Amino acid sequence: MARVVFDSIEELDGKAGQEIVVSDWLEVTQKRIDQFADATGDHQWIHVDVERARRESPFGAPIAHGFLTLSLLSHFLNESLKFADSKMGVNYGCNRLRFTAPVKAGSRLRTRFKLKEFQRIEGGVQMIWDIQMECEGEAKPVLVAEWVGRRYG
């Protein structure tokens, strides 16, 4: 269930610079990592070989793919925000993206959504989000991004 519900996407107009929502936590399980490896064909041992990762990886455990971590942004946004007048949303890309720390299997993540920019576009709006994805118990974020999304009513 969404944590913040807006009757209209227009309610975000004028909120640039504000943190709009912080998502709930989500565990990144080894099963999720393995499924992502199967979907993408990226079976590098640091992701999928649990025993080898424990022995040889500098992280001491398997880690999530960076692109798996990035792909969770859609989950976090859809679980955290609802716009009653929006028929669909699309990912428009990233202006800036860094994977700033590893995500070990079994870690719990959440995302902070700070609205950087709100623009009207033909048929909808474009929102640029300053993103910080956090790992429970860690001081440093695991992902920082400037993420661009569009919503259409």
Side-chain angles (χ1 to χ4, degrees):
M1 174 170 27
R3 297 171 58 88
V4 177
V5 178
F6 291 98
D7 291 328
S8 169
I9 194 96
E10 293 292 328
E11 292 179 50
L12 285 180
D13 193 12
K15 295 192 184 299
Q18 295 180 32
E19 184 172 89
I20 304 301
V21 70
V22 179
S23 74
D24 287 332
W25 294 101
L26 174 72
E27 183 179 357
V28 179
T29 63
Q30 185 62 51
K31 180 180 178 183
R32 184 183 297 266
I33 293 169
D34 292 342
Q35 289 172 328
F36 189 85
D38 289 342
T40 62
D42 181 354
H43 292 93
Q44 187 178 169
W45 66 268
I46 63 170
H47 305 302
V48 298
D49 189 331
V50 175
E51 291 308 314
R52 184 175 178 191
R54 285 187 182 137
R55 285 191 322 269
E56 299 179 32
S57 164
F59 312 113
I63 60 169
H65 306 71
F67 285 124
L68 167 56
T69 306
L70 175 64
S71 72
L72 292 174
L73 286 179
S74 293
H75 164 81
F76 286 126
L77 183 69
N78 292 331
E79 291 295 313
S80 299
L81 288 170
K82 179 175 173 54
F83 303 102
D85 65 342
S86 175
K87 292 181 183 172
M88 68 174 198
V90 295
N91 178 7
Y92 199 66
C94 292
N95 293 334
R96 178 178 59 81
L97 169 66
R98 293 291 181 267
F99 303 108
T100 50
V103 175
K104 295 179 184 178
S107 296
R108 288 178 11 122
L109 304 177
R110 72 177 179 187
T111 299
R112 295 182 174 278
F113 292 91
K114 182 179 179 182
L115 185 63
K116 180 175 184 170
E117 204 171 304
F118 181 91
Q119 303 171 317
R120 286 174 183 77
I121 58 171
E122 187 175 334
V125 299
Q126 176 171 287
M127 295 167 290
I128 301 176
W129 298 98
D130 276 329
I131 299 294
Q132 281 205 1
M133 189 179 293
E134 304 170 340
C135 183
E136 189 174 44
E138 300 294 331
K140 185 177 182 180
V142 299
L143 180 148
V144 292
E146 189 175 280
W147 185 34
V148 185
R150 291 183 167 184
R151 290 277 172 168
Y152 298 92

